[in-house]
Amino acid sequence: MKLVSSMIALAILALSNHIFAETAPGTGKTKGDPAKGQQIATQVCAGCHNPDGNSVIPTNPSLAGQHAEYITKQLENFKSQEGKPPERASPIMGAMVAPLSAEDMKNLGAYYAQQVPKPVGAKDKPLAEQGEKIYRGGNLETGVPACAGCHSPNGVGIPPSYPRIAGQHGEYVLAQLRAFRTEERTKDPNNVMHMIASRMSEREMRTVSEFIAGLR
Ligand code: HEC
Ligand code: HEC
């Protein structure tokens, strides 16, 4: 019995490695097609994210200039796999990704990555200045690392895994930091942003979100 189940586990592992190899982001032959991505973006996504991915609605993230691999990964995370709850919970985006294929997700990533981001700008400068301290230096007392370490000093991120956050809507950033703290955005207790957000105060989240909105 034990042998059988470990053989099944091995088979599943081999299979998932195979699938992963086929669909691994960033590997030359599996690059997305931005023209095909644009078709879906224009027909389905533009109403909320704008045709060029520079959202004008503060609760909807801007996607322009974001790393292709990160976008594809988030689209996968919104989709529930084999009846399990999705890694990233969003009723809206859950419905949006349901009809998308793996290929579509890659094409959409390729399209948005090519668009030119337009930073939204900070509305409250004093609040943003307080947030800059967290962004550049973190909080030593509570063990919050500097955001700049992974999202880079100017917020462009480091592809493929560390997203661009510069100029993103402050309202959206704040909502995401809260969602990382709870199980809304991740089911993984070792998710790095879950660990970071859990150590942040509400005040710190507010200030750093305002700073990020103005970052360019
Ligand atoms: C009805 C509005 C709406 C439509 C239409 C929509 N989105 Fe979204 N999208 C949202 C909202 C709201 C969020 C934030 C979800 C959350 O709270 O995590 C989001 C989040 C995302 C994210 C995550 C971005 C990040 O920075 O992590 C991606 C990627 C995305 N959408 C892509 C798409 C694509 C591709 C389509 C079209 C197939 C689409 N969206 C259609 C509203 C929409
Ligand atoms: C150790 C690296 C690391 C550090 C330090 C870090 N981040 Fe992140 N951040 C990530 C990764 C990886 C993701 C993608 C996580 C995911 O989707 O599961 C992310 C995602 C995010 C997102 C979501 C972006 C989007 O488009 O939805 C926000 C907002 C964010 N981080 C803000 C911050 C802030 C604010 C700080 C500093 C207090 C910070 N991060 C520090 C690695 C880091």
Side-chain angles (χ1 to χ4, degrees):
M1 191 57 202
K2 209 171 162 206
L3 184 68
V4 171
S5 58
S6 57
M7 277 171 72
I8 293 172
L10 270 178
I12 293 172
L13 192 67
L15 188 68
S16 58
N17 277 343
H18 177 70
I19 292 167
F20 186 73
E22 292 279 283
T23 59
T27 53
K29 66 176 166 122
T30 57
K31 271 223 168 103
D33 178 343
K36 286 187 185 156
Q38 181 170 21
Q39 282 180 4
I40 305 175
T42 311
Q43 288 164 10
V44 189
C45 325
C48 292
H49 295 286
N50 244 35
D52 70 349
N54 282 294
S55 151
V56 291
I57 307 163
T59 49
N60 300 350
S62 281
L63 308 172
Q66 184 59 272
H67 318 316
E69 299 88 345
Y70 171 81
I71 289 186
T72 305
K73 172 79 173 7
Q74 296 309 309
L75 294 173
E76 286 165 2
N77 286 359
F78 284 125
K79 203 162 184 168
S80 56
Q81 311 284 359
E82 292 148 16
K84 281 191 230 130
E87 172 71 12
R88 180 171 176 182
S90 163
I92 297 174
M93 282 306 301
M96 290 298 145
V97 297
L100 298 182
S101 69
E103 202 62 37
D104 293 337
M105 294 185 188
K106 234 178 272 164
N107 296 341
L108 283 158
Y111 171 67
Y112 286 118
Q114 285 188 347
Q115 307 311 305
V116 179
K118 298 183 190 132
V120 297
K123 293 176 209 139
D124 186 334
K125 292 273 150 62
L127 199 68
E129 274 164 26
Q130 290 175 38
E132 181 164 17
K133 297 194 187 98
I134 303 283
Y135 191 86
R136 307 218 179 275
N139 183 339
L140 273 174
E141 265 170 49
T142 51
V144 175
C147 319
C150 291
H151 294 284
S152 83
N154 59 358
V156 297
I158 308 168
S161 317
Y162 301 145
R164 167 189 187 91
I165 51 177
Q168 183 60 272
H169 293 289
E171 289 87 340
Y172 168 77
V173 172
L174 179 58
Q176 294 310 304
L177 291 174
R178 287 174 179 155
F180 276 123
R181 190 168 48 191
T182 64
E183 284 201 340
E184 214 180 306
R185 176 134 180 195
T186 179
K187 307 271 174 294
D188 177 6
N190 296 320
N191 178 293
V192 57
M193 283 308 302
H194 169 67
M195 295 196 281
I196 293 171
S198 303
R199 292 174 190 166
M200 293 177 78
S201 68
E202 182 68 20
R203 175 89 195 151
E204 286 175 327
M205 289 188 186
R206 277 182 186 282
T207 60
V208 84
S209 299
E210 192 62 16
F211 174 71
I212 287 167
L215 189 58
R216 48 177 76 212

